[in-house]
Amino acid sequence: MVIYFVFLTISAATYALFSLGLNLQWGVTGLINFGHVAFMAIGAYSTVLLSMQGMPIPIAALIGAGLSALLGLIIGFSTLRLREDYLGIVTIGVSELVRLVAKNEAWLTKGTFGVQGYPIPFTCREEYSLNLLSLTCPTNSQPEYLVKILLIVWLTVICGLALWQLWRWMRAEMSRVVAGSVLGIFVLTVYICGALSLYTYDPRAGLMLLVLTTLMVVYVGLEKLVHSPWGRVLKAIREDEEVPRALGKNVFWYKLQAFMLGGAIAGISGAFYAWQFSVFPDNFEPLITFNAWIIIMIGGAGNNLGTVIGAVIFWGYYELTRTDFFKAIFNALHLDDTQQGAFRIMIIGLILMLLMVLRPQGILGKKEELTLGR
Amino acid sequence: MSIQPLLSAQGLCKTFGGVKAVQQAGIEVATGSITGLIGPNGAGKTTFFNLLSNFIRADSGQIELNGQKIHQLQSHQIARLGMVRTFQVAKALSRMSVLENMMLGAKNQAGEKIWQVLLQPKLARIEQQELKDKSMSILESVGLSAKANDYAGGLSGGQRKLLEIGRALMADPKLILLDEPAAGVNPRLIEDICGHILNWRKQGLTFLIIEHNMDVIMTLCDRVWVLAEGTNLVDGTPTKVQNDPRVIEAYLGID
């Protein structure tokens, strides 16, 4: 149960990272990107293939992020002058292009069989160089007691900061108390499960700590940027790009920056995706992009905290409906396994429709912003 | 003319398909003046503005700002050189606050670069405080300070016009192009806007104004250029232009 929760946390945090990248592009800057999964695919493949060549894992992941940003630069240069909807069409095309190249260039990517047996942080494999830089432990032995304690302290710091943020958010309005408490309990559960599994030292616990740390750094950085004059220019572009242009801002360059930075963040999420799940070309179908869109719509476009909460809700829903309790309900409805999968997605569609009717601004979005004309 | 004009354009042409929107049109705006640009509907005034600010690239022609050729520059570069335009339908950034709209206007902000936000946050913060004070004093002078923290989308048409001019002022321009500042604004507020424009001119700003409201043109302008069917018709003092038979013909279509 504890390790299952750790697994869930890594998944949600990976998707949160992925969606934060899209939120910068779409929620803040208004760029319609339907091919976000391409950045994730590039990040995942680069990290995995480079680290298999013996490159230290963190450096491989950073290069993966860099290559994703490069893809953003290339797409951006060729398409950011297009009007919004055309950008959407081109990006979805590019993401399929990336997937199909991965599928067919077997000399590089192992094709449809996917990449197997690549190094994963904190997981020991004899065949790779083992040192601190590669984030792998020397043998299958446990880390020292002191190291474990330090890791748990670090987790405490992260969860403490998260709770503090949540408290500040909750204090601003009374209506947030219920939602805030639920999230607070969630963070505490993550903390307890994480601390327990760090103590018994499961490799997954290390990965969880790593993804939470990355998420925190990215989140704090994005919050700083979005609320800076830089973010103000991006929001102005979202509202009407002719205004910043008339005021002397290089709109194209700002769009490119948003596109590249969002792409790089998605690239990092790709590395975690590879470590958490697997690397097959068909993992990176357009569906993943639209999951990120769903997450942002649930949380409220342009809102980083909302995006993270959206990712938690999304994964919570996915995993909850896999439990025996829901299985029993589905069985009672005479649905076989395939039908159950489709049924769960159908429910998501229904939830989205209800959300659009009842709370179109998303959980943390601002209602006033929807009623304002141009 | 002995003094070099702040802005001069010659021989601007632009065709959209078969339509010759602007052909061989030019203008001169003297430093410190308020220059008017009038003409019947469809004369190509707004297109001419778009050509001047390079929002639309001219097919041919030359534009000089302060002696520097600018027709090859991108529109944001032109704005940085000190010529800031506004729009016929005022563009308030609806989902941003009035204050944010204003602060966006300032040029070359340190905090507009990613690395400076992350590496020198203090510098950006001090600068933002200064910009905030400056924005508030401009908002104060145009009577919008009470709305500073409201969404700009909630402003009325006339207030949006004021916000747009104020936002342009934040960029420390030499020359502001105003596209119909009085259109759709109630008469009381039109007077206010005129008063502000005269006041800012006293402080050294130059204006080029498109306007249909002849009262506004007569009150404000030192010199008026008339555009009809995409070309220059006449130019001169407001009184001269108003009584020119060719202008009356262009507006009323007398055979």
Side-chain angles (χ1 to χ4, degrees), chain A residues 268-283:
Chain A
I268 295 177
S269 80
F272 283 105
Y273 188 94
W275 298 329
Q276 166 78 341
F277 304 104
S278 55
V279 183
F280 294 98
D282 287 349
N283 283 355

Side-chain angles (χ1 to χ4, degrees), chain A residues 175-288:
Chain A
S175 57
R176 292 172 176 169
V177 169
V178 178
S181 311
V182 172
L183 285 166
I185 291 169
F186 174 79
V187 173
L188 280 177
T189 319
V190 167
Y191 175 66
I192 293 166
C193 292
L196 279 176
S197 51
L198 276 174
Y199 189 73
T200 55
Y201 202 73
D202 186 289
R204 291 269 175 215
L207 191 58
M208 182 182 98
L209 199 56
L210 192 61
V211 72
L212 286 180
T213 308
T214 313
L215 181 62
M216 186 181 77
V217 170
V218 168
Y219 174 81
V220 171
L222 280 177
E223 276 292 289
K224 273 219 158 63
L225 283 171
V226 167
H227 295 109
S228 74
W230 184 78
R232 193 166 58 212
V233 178
L234 297 190
K235 281 182 222 157
I237 292 171
R238 176 188 70 193
E239 295 302 304
D240 189 333
E241 67 170 76
E242 292 199 330
V243 173
R245 196 138 70 95
L247 294 169
K249 319 290 179 200
N250 189 346
V251 168
F252 179 70
W253 171 228
Y254 277 100
K255 281 184 179 177
L256 205 58
Q257 288 179 57
F259 212 60
M260 287 172 68
L261 186 59
I265 293 169
I268 295 177
S269 80
F272 283 105
Y273 188 94
W275 298 329
Q276 166 78 341
F277 304 104
S278 55
V279 183
F280 294 98
D282 287 349
N283 283 355
F284 304 106
E285 286 190 321
L287 178 68
I288 310 292

Side-chain angles (χ1 to χ4, degrees), chain B residues 27-48:
Chain B
I27 202 164
E28 271 180 12
V29 179
T31 310
S33 70
I34 298 179
T35 305
L37 179 64
I38 62 170
N41 287 324
K45 301 184 296 296
T46 296
T47 307
F48 189 67

Side-chain angles (χ1 to χ4, degrees), chain A residues 81 221 224-225 228-233 235-240 242-251 253-254 257 261 366 368-370 372-374, chain B residues 54-55 75-76 79-80 84-85 87 91-96 100 103-107 109 111-114 117-118 128 131 151 153-154 160 167-168 171:
Chain A
R81 287 190 177 85
K224 273 219 158 63
L225 283 171
S228 74
W230 184 78
R232 193 166 58 212
V233 178
K235 281 182 222 157
I237 292 171
R238 176 188 70 193
E239 295 302 304
D240 189 333
E242 292 199 330
V243 173
R245 196 138 70 95
L247 294 169
K249 319 290 179 200
N250 189 346
V251 168
W253 171 228
Y254 277 100
Q257 288 179 57
L261 186 59
K366 293 187 185 123
E368 312 90 287
E369 295 193 347
L370 286 181
L372 294 169
R374 286 254 152 179
Chain B
N54 223 344
F55 269 62
S75 34
H76 69 266
R80 284 184 198 164
V84 177
R85 66 165 298 177
F87 298 89
K91 290 178 188 264
L93 303 167
S94 306
R95 290 185 291 172
M96 294 165 70
E100 277 182 304
M103 288 168 74
L104 176 76
K107 287 188 293 191
Q109 301 177 37
E112 287 181 348
K113 297 185 178 77
I114 288 190
V117 174
L118 297 177
Q128 290 308 299
L131 286 180
Y151 282 111
R160 283 174 192 228
R167 195 170 59 195

